[in-house]
Amino acid sequence: MDTKRNDDNDDVHRRCKCKKTKCLKLYCDCFSAGFYCYEACSCKECFNLRDYEDEVQESRECIEERNPLAFSPKIHSLEGGDKLMPNVQKHRKGCICKKSMCMHRYCECYKGKVGCWSNCRCEGCKNVHGMKGGGKCDIMIGTSIRESGLDQNEFINRFTPQDKNGGDLKSSMNL
DNA sequence: GAGTTTGAAACT
DNA sequence: CAGTTTCAAACTC
Ligand SMILES: [Zn+2]
Ligand SMILES: [Zn+2]
Ligand SMILES: [Zn+2]
Ligand SMILES: [Zn+2]
Ligand SMILES: [Zn+2]
Ligand SMILES: [Zn+2]
């Protein structure tokens, strides 16, 4: 896996201010997104630079061993779904918000502009992109929005994702 | 910019 | 796996 050049980092205005982790842990937004740190960062003792390519790669491999999906996009499209809504996007692991009601960027679902769903363990969810609906995911693949009688957000919340092989969702997502 | 709040990541 | 700690982003002032 290639680490992206810091010039690209500038494009999305990503920057970090890490102080204690040398920008070699997922805490660091630059490292987590596969970018090197660059001038706009104000990190201390940064090792997330091309000069320390080996250290970066070593840390990546260590983290990937722990979690093979650590560097894959957290927001991803679910398989299946309604013909009219073929690409429902969700946060793979879901959030665990307890205090923010998923109304701020503290919530990774909200931050990713996707609704919460059955993988989320949030409390008092008020995510404007779609609230978690009581942990239910009872709309089966192939059901249309019209048939379900639900509005779009509620449909997405209750849509039951399924992989192409018809396998179990959790195993297909390595959860 | 400093201080607080928050929840993911890391650790045990 | 669950509980706790650590950490830096998001937020507030
Ligand atoms: Zn960093
Ligand atoms: Zn950085
Ligand atoms: Zn850095
Ligand atoms: Zn949330
Ligand atoms: Zn969520
Ligand atoms: Zn939520």
Side-chain angles (χ1 to χ4, degrees):
Chain A
M1 163 129 27
D2 295 328
T3 303
K4 296 158 196 155
R5 297 182 59 245
N6 52 14
D7 306 87
D8 300 326
N9 198 351
D10 199 19
D11 292 341
V12 290
H13 306 110
R14 182 184 289 104
R15 72 201 69 159
C16 72
K17 303 182 294 188
C18 308
K19 290 177 169 46
K20 311 181 79 160
T21 61
K22 307 178 196 300
C23 299
L24 289 179
K25 305 260 177 150
L26 292 177
Y27 293 126
C28 174
D29 274 0
C30 301
F31 175 80
S32 173
F35 290 98
Y36 287 124
C37 289
Y38 70 126
E39 302 75 37
C41 298
S42 48
C43 37
K44 302 281 190 288
E45 304 173 56
C46 182
F47 275 68
N48 184 33
L49 301 166
R50 188 171 296 284
D51 286 352
Y52 305 99
E53 204 169 357
D54 293 346
E55 284 87 346
V56 172
Q57 188 57 27
E58 185 181 5
S59 183
R60 283 185 69 101
E61 286 171 5
C62 178
I63 292 165
E64 242 167 354
E65 192 172 345
R66 195 187 310 144
N67 172 15
L69 298 179
F71 295 94
S72 63
K74 294 179 179 180
I75 306 295
H76 71 140
S77 295
L78 303 177
E79 297 290 348
D82 185 87
K83 301 161 196 101
L84 303 172
M85 289 291 300
N87 292 312
V88 176
Q89 302 225 112
K90 293 290 186 186
H91 187 282
R92 181 162 38 78
K93 287 181 64 177
C95 65
I96 324 179
C97 306
K98 304 293 182 197
K99 298 183 172 180
S100 71
M101 300 189 288
C102 306
M103 297 172 71
H104 310 284
R105 288 169 62 90
Y106 293 126
C107 171
E108 294 203 346
C109 297
Y110 176 89
K111 184 175 179 179
K113 298 177 181 172
V114 298
C116 291
W117 63 310
S118 56
N119 277 8
C120 298
R121 289 183 286 157
C122 43
E123 295 175 3
C125 180
K126 290 182 180 170
N127 187 344
V128 296
H129 300 107
M131 284 182 282
K132 184 180 68 169
K136 299 229 178 207
C137 228
D138 56 357
I139 304 299
M140 303 307 290
I141 187 170
T143 306
S144 71
I145 294 179
R146 180 177 298 183
E147 287 166 355
S148 72
L150 302 167
D151 68 24
Q152 183 168 302
N153 276 345
E154 184 68 6
F155 178 88
I156 294 169
N157 292 340
R158 290 168 58 179
F159 164 64
T160 302
Q162 194 169 2
D163 70 22
K164 282 171 181 164
N165 305 319
D168 171 67
L169 170 64
K170 288 189 187 298
S171 67
S172 75
M173 297 172 80
N174 287 339
L175 289 172

